[in-house]
Amino acid sequence: MRKRIVAGNWKMNMELTEGIALAKDINNHFSASPLKDNCEVILCTPFIHLSSVSSALTVSGLSVGAQNCNDHKSGAYTGEVSAAMIRSAGALNVILGHSERRTLYGEDDSLLAAKTTEALRNGLRVIFCCGEVLAEREKGIHFDVVKRHLEKGLFMLNREEFSKCIIAYEPVWAIGTGVTASPAQAQEMHHFIRGLVEKQYSKQVAEETTILYGGSCKASNAAELFANADVDGGLIGGASLMKDEFCNIVNAL
Ligand code: 13P
């Protein structure tokens, strides 16, 4: 059975002490009411939190992720953080291909493919984001955009490597806007994505791939989104910064 996952993307929020306090609160919550066997929670924090938050999480099913990594192994890349460093801080996951990295920092498909390869080489699980901007949806090319993101950024992987990846569909027009994709829009795209994975790998791989929805997902709409057959959880931005809101989203799994 494929994993159902809620991942919080803290983005550039939370000073260190605040982040540790939030992680401890979340850990206490799931210590008192444990996650079901096939459910997981991932906290994707800023780099400086990784080590402390990893230590703060003691409950099974909870893990830490970074929000980016460099595509090189090591060397003269001032200000950058390698996949090996992330892994050494206790993190098991990394978000790659987020639309904010693509648009604000110019990360393109080939760079993301290199980052993905480097992350997997270091034993990280990749949460790979794809999704169209509003103009692309209005033009009716949203399926083409998502297909390109996956073909260029992920489908160079072999089957074994791909099995270490989670896909996150994040329509850019829904990120931080309060406008959520409807359950039907999410299901339609997730079903399309699973079909692409089946064509590229196999039906079994497609059935085992976790596909998350991201974009203004909150406690009040999580249940109707997660109820769809191909929506296996969420990648949560703003609502992941509040313990009760975030834990209620997890409960919707
Ligand atoms: P919001 O939940 O704030 O819309 O952000 C979604 C997101 O970008 C998660 O990666």
PDB file of all heavy atoms in Angstrom, residues 37-65:
ATOM      1  N   ASP A  37      -0.247   3.213  10.495  1.00  0.00           N
ATOM      2  CA  ASP A  37       0.943   2.565   9.923  1.00  0.00           C
ATOM      3  C   ASP A  37       1.400   3.115   8.582  1.00  0.00           C
ATOM      4  O   ASP A  37       2.579   3.233   8.326  1.00  0.00           O
ATOM      5  CB  ASP A  37       0.682   1.067   9.744  1.00  0.00           C
ATOM      6  CG  ASP A  37       1.008   0.330  11.030  1.00  0.00           C
ATOM      7  OD1 ASP A  37       1.527   0.988  11.942  1.00  0.00           O
ATOM      8  OD2 ASP A  37       0.727  -0.875  11.097  1.00  0.00           O
ATOM      9  N   ASN A  38       0.452   3.413   7.680  1.00  0.00           N
ATOM     10  CA  ASN A  38       0.869   3.838   6.339  1.00  0.00           C
ATOM     11  C   ASN A  38       0.914   5.363   6.202  1.00  0.00           C
ATOM     12  O   ASN A  38       0.974   5.878   5.101  1.00  0.00           O
ATOM     13  CB  ASN A  38      -0.056   3.251   5.269  1.00  0.00           C
ATOM     14  CG  ASN A  38      -1.439   3.840   5.337  1.00  0.00           C
ATOM     15  OD1 ASN A  38      -1.910   4.158   6.426  1.00  0.00           O
ATOM     16  ND2 ASN A  38      -2.085   4.011   4.204  1.00  0.00           N
ATOM     17  N   CYS A  39       0.866   6.072   7.337  1.00  0.00           N
ATOM     18  CA  CYS A  39       0.875   7.542   7.297  1.00  0.00           C
ATOM     19  C   CYS A  39       2.199   8.103   7.824  1.00  0.00           C
ATOM     20  O   CYS A  39       2.793   7.538   8.740  1.00  0.00           O
ATOM     21  CB  CYS A  39      -0.262   8.114   8.134  1.00  0.00           C
ATOM     22  SG  CYS A  39      -1.881   7.741   7.450  1.00  0.00           S
ATOM     23  N   GLU A  40       2.610   9.216   7.220  1.00  0.00           N
ATOM     24  CA  GLU A  40       3.866   9.863   7.628  1.00  0.00           C
ATOM     25  C   GLU A  40       3.682  11.365   7.669  1.00  0.00           C
ATOM     26  O   GLU A  40       2.887  11.917   6.900  1.00  0.00           O
ATOM     27  CB  GLU A  40       4.939   9.615   6.560  1.00  0.00           C
ATOM     28  CG  GLU A  40       5.784   8.405   6.755  1.00  0.00           C
ATOM     29  CD  GLU A  40       6.949   8.433   5.770  1.00  0.00           C
ATOM     30  OE1 GLU A  40       7.694   9.413   5.724  1.00  0.00           O
ATOM     31  OE2 GLU A  40       7.060   7.450   5.021  1.00  0.00           O
ATOM     32  N   VAL A  41       4.463  12.002   8.507  1.00  0.00           N
ATOM     33  CA  VAL A  41       4.507  13.468   8.574  1.00  0.00           C
ATOM     34  C   VAL A  41       5.961  13.899   8.382  1.00  0.00           C
ATOM     35  O   VAL A  41       6.865  13.330   8.999  1.00  0.00           O
ATOM     36  CB  VAL A  41       3.976  13.970   9.932  1.00  0.00           C
ATOM     37  CG1 VAL A  41       4.231  15.462  10.091  1.00  0.00           C
ATOM     38  CG2 VAL A  41       2.488  13.669  10.066  1.00  0.00           C
ATOM     39  N   ILE A  42       6.161  14.880   7.509  1.00  0.00           N
ATOM     40  CA  ILE A  42       7.510  15.383   7.247  1.00  0.00           C
ATOM     41  C   ILE A  42       7.518  16.886   7.523  1.00  0.00           C
ATOM     42  O   ILE A  42       6.630  17.606   7.049  1.00  0.00           O
ATOM     43  CB  ILE A  42       7.920  15.134   5.776  1.00  0.00           C
ATOM     44  CG1 ILE A  42       7.810  13.649   5.418  1.00  0.00           C
ATOM     45  CG2 ILE A  42       9.340  15.630   5.515  1.00  0.00           C
ATOM     46  CD1 ILE A  42       7.972  13.358   3.921  1.00  0.00           C
ATOM     47  N   LEU A  43       8.510  17.339   8.280  1.00  0.00           N
ATOM     48  CA  LEU A  43       8.661  18.779   8.503  1.00  0.00           C
ATOM     49  C   LEU A  43       9.848  19.265   7.677  1.00  0.00           C
ATOM     50  O   LEU A  43      10.990  18.863   7.931  1.00  0.00           O
ATOM     51  CB  LEU A  43       8.906  19.077   9.991  1.00  0.00           C
ATOM     52  CG  LEU A  43       7.837  18.549  10.973  1.00  0.00           C
ATOM     53  CD1 LEU A  43       8.164  19.009  12.394  1.00  0.00           C
ATOM     54  CD2 LEU A  43       6.435  19.012  10.575  1.00  0.00           C
ATOM     55  N   CYS A  44       9.557  20.104   6.667  1.00  0.00           N
ATOM     56  CA  CYS A  44      10.621  20.626   5.803  1.00  0.00           C
ATOM     57  C   CYS A  44      10.963  22.029   6.279  1.00  0.00           C
ATOM     58  O   CYS A  44      10.202  22.979   6.083  1.00  0.00           O
ATOM     59  CB  CYS A  44      10.176  20.617   4.349  1.00  0.00           C
ATOM     60  SG  CYS A  44       9.856  18.939   3.759  1.00  0.00           S
ATOM     61  N   THR A  45      12.099  22.116   6.929  1.00  0.00           N
ATOM     62  CA  THR A  45      12.484  23.332   7.647  1.00  0.00           C
ATOM     63  C   THR A  45      13.600  24.067   6.907  1.00  0.00           C
ATOM     64  O   THR A  45      14.240  23.489   6.021  1.00  0.00           O
ATOM     65  CB  THR A  45      12.991  22.965   9.059  1.00  0.00           C
ATOM     66  OG1 THR A  45      14.308  22.428   8.937  1.00  0.00           O
ATOM     67  CG2 THR A  45      12.096  21.957   9.755  1.00  0.00           C
ATOM     68  N   PRO A  46      13.875  25.305   7.311  1.00  0.00           N
ATOM     69  CA  PRO A  46      15.098  25.956   6.826  1.00  0.00           C
ATOM     70  C   PRO A  46      16.323  25.131   7.243  1.00  0.00           C
ATOM     71  O   PRO A  46      16.255  24.370   8.217  1.00  0.00           O
ATOM     72  CB  PRO A  46      15.081  27.314   7.542  1.00  0.00           C
ATOM     73  CG  PRO A  46      13.625  27.564   7.839  1.00  0.00           C
ATOM     74  CD  PRO A  46      13.056  26.210   8.151  1.00  0.00           C
ATOM     75  N   PHE A  47      17.418  25.309   6.535  1.00  0.00           N
ATOM     76  CA  PHE A  47      18.616  24.506   6.805  1.00  0.00           C
ATOM     77  C   PHE A  47      19.048  24.555   8.270  1.00  0.00           C
ATOM     78  O   PHE A  47      19.409  23.545   8.849  1.00  0.00           O
ATOM     79  CB  PHE A  47      19.796  24.986   5.944  1.00  0.00           C
ATOM     80  CG  PHE A  47      19.643  24.691   4.481  1.00  0.00           C
ATOM     81  CD1 PHE A  47      19.813  25.697   3.533  1.00  0.00           C
ATOM     82  CD2 PHE A  47      19.353  23.409   4.040  1.00  0.00           C
ATOM     83  CE1 PHE A  47      19.680  25.424   2.176  1.00  0.00           C
ATOM     84  CE2 PHE A  47      19.219  23.130   2.690  1.00  0.00           C
ATOM     85  CZ  PHE A  47      19.385  24.143   1.762  1.00  0.00           C
ATOM     86  N   ILE A  48      19.000  25.778   8.845  1.00  0.00           N
ATOM     87  CA  ILE A  48      19.568  25.901  10.201  1.00  0.00           C
ATOM     88  C   ILE A  48      18.775  25.116  11.248  1.00  0.00           C
ATOM     89  O   ILE A  48      19.277  24.857  12.330  1.00  0.00           O
ATOM     90  CB  ILE A  48      19.729  27.364  10.668  1.00  0.00           C
ATOM     91  CG1 ILE A  48      18.376  28.050  10.735  1.00  0.00           C
ATOM     92  CG2 ILE A  48      20.726  28.129   9.843  1.00  0.00           C
ATOM     93  CD1 ILE A  48      18.337  29.034  11.886  1.00  0.00           C
ATOM     94  N   HIS A  49      17.531  24.758  10.935  1.00  0.00           N
ATOM     95  CA  HIS A  49      16.721  23.998  11.892  1.00  0.00           C
ATOM     96  C   HIS A  49      16.930  22.492  11.797  1.00  0.00           C
ATOM     97  O   HIS A  49      16.499  21.754  12.686  1.00  0.00           O
ATOM     98  CB  HIS A  49      15.228  24.225  11.648  1.00  0.00           C
ATOM     99  CG  HIS A  49      14.752  25.630  11.847  1.00  0.00           C
ATOM    100  ND1 HIS A  49      15.165  26.675  11.079  1.00  0.00           N
ATOM    101  CD2 HIS A  49      13.853  26.142  12.729  1.00  0.00           C
ATOM    102  CE1 HIS A  49      14.555  27.791  11.478  1.00  0.00           C
ATOM    103  NE2 HIS A  49      13.754  27.492  12.482  1.00  0.00           N
ATOM    104  N   LEU A  50      17.523  22.027  10.720  1.00  0.00           N
ATOM    105  CA  LEU A  50      17.453  20.592  10.410  1.00  0.00           C
ATOM    106  C   LEU A  50      17.938  19.712  11.566  1.00  0.00           C
ATOM    107  O   LEU A  50      17.255  18.764  11.967  1.00  0.00           O
ATOM    108  CB  LEU A  50      18.271  20.269   9.154  1.00  0.00           C
ATOM    109  CG  LEU A  50      17.729  20.812   7.828  1.00  0.00           C
ATOM    110  CD1 LEU A  50      18.704  20.516   6.703  1.00  0.00           C
ATOM    111  CD2 LEU A  50      16.351  20.230   7.517  1.00  0.00           C
ATOM    112  N   SER A  51      19.102  20.059  12.089  1.00  0.00           N
ATOM    113  CA  SER A  51      19.703  19.208  13.105  1.00  0.00           C
ATOM    114  C   SER A  51      18.871  19.204  14.391  1.00  0.00           C
ATOM    115  O   SER A  51      18.544  18.139  14.943  1.00  0.00           O
ATOM    116  CB  SER A  51      21.128  19.695  13.365  1.00  0.00           C
ATOM    117  OG  SER A  51      21.681  18.969  14.389  1.00  0.00           O
ATOM    118  N   SER A  52      18.482  20.389  14.856  1.00  0.00           N
ATOM    119  CA  SER A  52      17.726  20.470  16.113  1.00  0.00           C
ATOM    120  C   SER A  52      16.337  19.841  15.973  1.00  0.00           C
ATOM    121  O   SER A  52      15.862  19.164  16.893  1.00  0.00           O
ATOM    122  CB  SER A  52      17.526  21.915  16.545  1.00  0.00           C
ATOM    123  OG  SER A  52      18.673  22.648  16.366  1.00  0.00           O
ATOM    124  N   VAL A  53      15.693  20.085  14.834  1.00  0.00           N
ATOM    125  CA  VAL A  53      14.343  19.520  14.663  1.00  0.00           C
ATOM    126  C   VAL A  53      14.433  17.995  14.525  1.00  0.00           C
ATOM    127  O   VAL A  53      13.595  17.270  15.065  1.00  0.00           O
ATOM    128  CB  VAL A  53      13.604  20.188  13.477  1.00  0.00           C
ATOM    129  CG1 VAL A  53      12.313  19.450  13.143  1.00  0.00           C
ATOM    130  CG2 VAL A  53      13.289  21.644  13.815  1.00  0.00           C
ATOM    131  N   SER A  54      15.471  17.509  13.863  1.00  0.00           N
ATOM    132  CA  SER A  54      15.654  16.048  13.783  1.00  0.00           C
ATOM    133  C   SER A  54      15.760  15.452  15.180  1.00  0.00           C
ATOM    134  O   SER A  54      15.164  14.406  15.469  1.00  0.00           O
ATOM    135  CB  SER A  54      16.933  15.691  13.029  1.00  0.00           C
ATOM    136  OG  SER A  54      16.832  16.073  11.705  1.00  0.00           O
ATOM    137  N   SER A  55      16.492  16.124  16.058  1.00  0.00           N
ATOM    138  CA  SER A  55      16.646  15.608  17.429  1.00  0.00           C
ATOM    139  C   SER A  55      15.336  15.702  18.204  1.00  0.00           C
ATOM    140  O   SER A  55      15.086  14.884  19.093  1.00  0.00           O
ATOM    141  CB  SER A  55      17.708  16.389  18.198  1.00  0.00           C
ATOM    142  OG  SER A  55      18.891  16.405  17.488  1.00  0.00           O
ATOM    143  N   ALA A  56      14.522  16.706  17.877  1.00  0.00           N
ATOM    144  CA  ALA A  56      13.271  16.913  18.629  1.00  0.00           C
ATOM    145  C   ALA A  56      12.200  15.893  18.260  1.00  0.00           C
ATOM    146  O   ALA A  56      11.257  15.670  19.028  1.00  0.00           O
ATOM    147  CB  ALA A  56      12.750  18.322  18.386  1.00  0.00           C
ATOM    148  N   LEU A  57      12.325  15.268  17.079  1.00  0.00           N
ATOM    149  CA  LEU A  57      11.287  14.328  16.635  1.00  0.00           C
ATOM    150  C   LEU A  57      11.653  12.913  17.076  1.00  0.00           C
ATOM    151  O   LEU A  57      12.665  12.369  16.643  1.00  0.00           O
ATOM    152  CB  LEU A  57      11.125  14.387  15.111  1.00  0.00           C
ATOM    153  CG  LEU A  57      10.719  15.745  14.535  1.00  0.00           C
ATOM    154  CD1 LEU A  57      10.478  15.634  13.039  1.00  0.00           C
ATOM    155  CD2 LEU A  57       9.485  16.320  15.218  1.00  0.00           C
ATOM    156  N   THR A  58      10.833  12.348  17.940  1.00  0.00           N
ATOM    157  CA  THR A  58      11.153  11.033  18.489  1.00  0.00           C
ATOM    158  C   THR A  58      10.107   9.986  18.102  1.00  0.00           C
ATOM    159  O   THR A  58      10.286   8.807  18.347  1.00  0.00           O
ATOM    160  CB  THR A  58      11.192  11.106  20.028  1.00  0.00           C
ATOM    161  OG1 THR A  58       9.934  11.623  20.478  1.00  0.00           O
ATOM    162  CG2 THR A  58      12.301  12.024  20.519  1.00  0.00           C
ATOM    163  N   VAL A  59       9.006  10.454  17.523  1.00  0.00           N
ATOM    164  CA  VAL A  59       7.874   9.564  17.269  1.00  0.00           C
ATOM    165  C   VAL A  59       8.018   8.902  15.900  1.00  0.00           C
ATOM    166  O   VAL A  59       8.430   9.552  14.932  1.00  0.00           O
ATOM    167  CB  VAL A  59       6.563  10.390  17.326  1.00  0.00           C
ATOM    168  CG1 VAL A  59       5.389   9.603  16.827  1.00  0.00           C
ATOM    169  CG2 VAL A  59       6.325  10.899  18.730  1.00  0.00           C
ATOM    170  N   SER A  60       7.657   7.646  15.815  1.00  0.00           N
ATOM    171  CA  SER A  60       7.747   6.929  14.546  1.00  0.00           C
ATOM    172  C   SER A  60       6.779   7.542  13.517  1.00  0.00           C
ATOM    173  O   SER A  60       5.648   7.896  13.847  1.00  0.00           O
ATOM    174  CB  SER A  60       7.432   5.465  14.838  1.00  0.00           C
ATOM    175  OG  SER A  60       6.932   4.844  13.727  1.00  0.00           O
ATOM    176  N   GLY A  61       7.278   7.692  12.281  1.00  0.00           N
ATOM    177  CA  GLY A  61       6.442   8.277  11.231  1.00  0.00           C
ATOM    178  C   GLY A  61       6.687   9.756  11.016  1.00  0.00           C
ATOM    179  O   GLY A  61       6.175  10.343  10.071  1.00  0.00           O
ATOM    180  N   LEU A  62       7.476  10.365  11.906  1.00  0.00           N
ATOM    181  CA  LEU A  62       7.807  11.787  11.753  1.00  0.00           C
ATOM    182  C   LEU A  62       9.251  11.909  11.265  1.00  0.00           C
ATOM    183  O   LEU A  62      10.152  11.266  11.825  1.00  0.00           O
ATOM    184  CB  LEU A  62       7.709  12.499  13.109  1.00  0.00           C
ATOM    185  CG  LEU A  62       6.443  13.300  13.417  1.00  0.00           C
ATOM    186  CD1 LEU A  62       5.218  12.436  13.288  1.00  0.00           C
ATOM    187  CD2 LEU A  62       6.516  13.922  14.806  1.00  0.00           C
ATOM    188  N   SER A  63       9.488  12.729  10.243  1.00  0.00           N
ATOM    189  CA  SER A  63      10.863  12.954   9.804  1.00  0.00           C
ATOM    190  C   SER A  63      11.036  14.373   9.315  1.00  0.00           C
ATOM    191  O   SER A  63      10.066  15.130   9.188  1.00  0.00           O
ATOM    192  CB  SER A  63      11.277  11.931   8.738  1.00  0.00           C
ATOM    193  OG  SER A  63      10.541  12.132   7.558  1.00  0.00           O
ATOM    194  N   VAL A  64      12.275  14.709   9.023  1.00  0.00           N
ATOM    195  CA  VAL A  64      12.627  16.081   8.664  1.00  0.00           C
ATOM    196  C   VAL A  64      13.089  16.134   7.217  1.00  0.00           C
ATOM    197  O   VAL A  64      13.644  15.160   6.695  1.00  0.00           O
ATOM    198  CB  VAL A  64      13.743  16.579   9.610  1.00  0.00           C
ATOM    199  CG1 VAL A  64      14.205  17.974   9.232  1.00  0.00           C
ATOM    200  CG2 VAL A  64      13.247  16.580  11.040  1.00  0.00           C
ATOM    201  N   GLY A  65      12.842  17.272   6.575  1.00  0.00           N
ATOM    202  CA  GLY A  65      13.335  17.477   5.217  1.00  0.00           C
ATOM    203  C   GLY A  65      13.871  18.884   5.043  1.00  0.00           C
ATOM    204  O   GLY A  65      13.489  19.798   5.783  1.00  0.00           O
TER     205      GLY A  65
END
